[in-house]
Amino acid sequence: MSNSESRDQLYARRQDEIDSFVFDERVAAVFSDMISRSVPGYASIIGMIGILAGKHAVAHSNLYDLGCSLGAATLSMGREIAGRDCRLIAVDSSPAMLEKAAEQFVRHDLSCVTTACKDIRDIEIRNASVVVLNFTLQFLPVEERLSLLQNIHAGMRDEGILVLSEKIAGSDQEEDLVLAELHHAFKRANGYSDLEISQKRTALEEVLLPETIAAHRARLKAAGFRRVDLWFQCFNFVSFIARP
């Protein structure tokens, strides 16, 4: 971790009442540590998003990072599309997260990035060759997910791709339990206590609403995507490539 980053200890002390998880200043301060210790394969997903952007980005098109958090996916794409005359658009509704992301873009001299502090449901997608939803859709109400994907599909170029990464639910109760236990083992191996795991799970349970792989495939198809490929899975974390 750099000097500007802190270790995630937000749930290290027992809390009598646990508020719902929000992407506020406290989370922004520890987010890099939190996500690397909580999401198996996160660094690989970020690296591959850059490679996928390098393969599919088209000159004079737009690349969107919807729910960009601290901008890791944006930075990964920016490194791979240097010199292509593309525009990167990083969107997040959390001022605290986007402020830190903007600092990163300046630090890495990514002048092709435009930031927008908005709800991703209010963004018009236009001339998009790459759209990234990296662990973002899961925070929207289930009934609002299809309309967002339809909006994305409507604004994409024919040769473009959507990268959708999500925490998933198992296909049945037994699989869901197995995946959850493996994820908790991963978090323990990364230094989280059982108390931290339990309290964060409580904070997220009404905010992060996971669905099955089958549900994601069906919705992407309903939104108009002709092909959906699962390219990554580690425990209950997956990433899809969807093509318009």
Side-chain angles (χ1 to χ4, degrees):
M1 290 181 290
S2 71
N3 292 334
S4 61
E5 297 169 349
S6 301
R7 187 168 177 83
D8 174 24
Q9 296 181 312
L10 296 184
Y11 297 97
R13 295 183 179 180
R14 187 173 299 280
Q15 301 176 24
D16 294 331
E17 293 187 11
I18 301 173
D19 295 328
S20 293
F21 188 90
V22 292
F23 291 95
D24 57 13
E25 292 83 356
R26 294 169 65 244
V27 170
V30 301
F31 186 76
S32 291
D33 180 64
M34 174 188 288
I35 199 158
S36 65
R37 294 167 61 210
S38 300
V39 177
Y42 182 74
S44 295
I45 292 171
I46 291 297
M48 283 303 301
I49 286 172
I51 291 171
L52 289 166
K55 179 175 173 59
H56 292 279
V58 177
H60 312 299
S61 70
N62 296 323
L63 286 71
Y64 292 84
D65 185 2
L66 301 178
C68 68
S69 62
L70 300 188
T74 303
L75 288 169
S76 184
M77 290 191 285
R79 284 191 289 267
E80 295 291 336
I81 65 163
R84 287 205 207 171
D85 196 19
C86 297
R87 188 167 74 132
L88 276 162
I89 301 165
V91 184
D92 205 285
S93 61
S94 166
M97 300 291 275
L98 197 61
E99 181 181 352
K100 287 186 173 294
E103 292 171 358
Q104 291 246 64
F105 303 149
V106 171
R107 191 178 307 123
H108 289 84
D109 195 27
L110 272 187
S111 59
C112 62
V113 178
T114 300
T115 60
C117 191
K118 290 185 176 182
D119 190 307
I120 60 173
R121 290 165 289 191
D122 297 329
I123 296 294
E124 181 183 2
I125 305 299
R126 294 183 296 178
N127 189 32
S129 59
V130 179
V131 179
V132 173
L133 282 167
N134 203 40
F135 304 108
T136 300
L137 190 69
Q138 60 199 26
F139 290 102
L140 293 186
V142 172
E143 65 273 13
E144 296 183 22
R145 297 176 185 182
L146 177 58
S147 61
L148 173 65
L149 293 174
Q150 289 171 328
N151 177 46
I152 291 170
H153 182 271
M156 291 188 68
R157 299 170 65 101
D158 290 342
E159 69 273 35
I161 61 165
L162 165 67
V163 181
L164 172 65
S165 308
E166 289 280 286
K167 183 179 182 181
I168 59 159
S171 58
D172 56 40
Q173 188 173 9
E174 184 177 1
E175 183 185 38
D176 199 55
L177 180 60
V178 169
L179 293 175
E181 287 177 344
L182 289 168
H183 181 217
H184 293 163
F186 171 85
K187 295 181 77 170
R188 290 186 196 99
N190 280 307
Y192 283 114
S193 67
D194 287 339
L195 176 65
E196 288 174 289
I197 292 168
S198 174
Q199 293 192 143
K200 187 177 181 184
R201 183 173 65 244
T202 299
L204 284 168
E205 63 186 5
E206 293 184 4
V207 178
L208 193 165
L209 305 172
E211 297 179 280
T212 64
I213 288 174
H216 282 294
R217 285 188 183 277
R219 185 185 295 112
L220 287 162
K221 291 281 190 176
F225 291 91
R226 62 179 173 80
R227 183 177 179 91
V228 180
D229 294 303
L230 178 69
W231 70 270
F232 175 91
Q233 179 170 7
C234 186
F235 306 150
N236 47 355
F237 291 84
V238 304
S239 191
F240 303 91
I241 299 170
R243 304 174 193 273

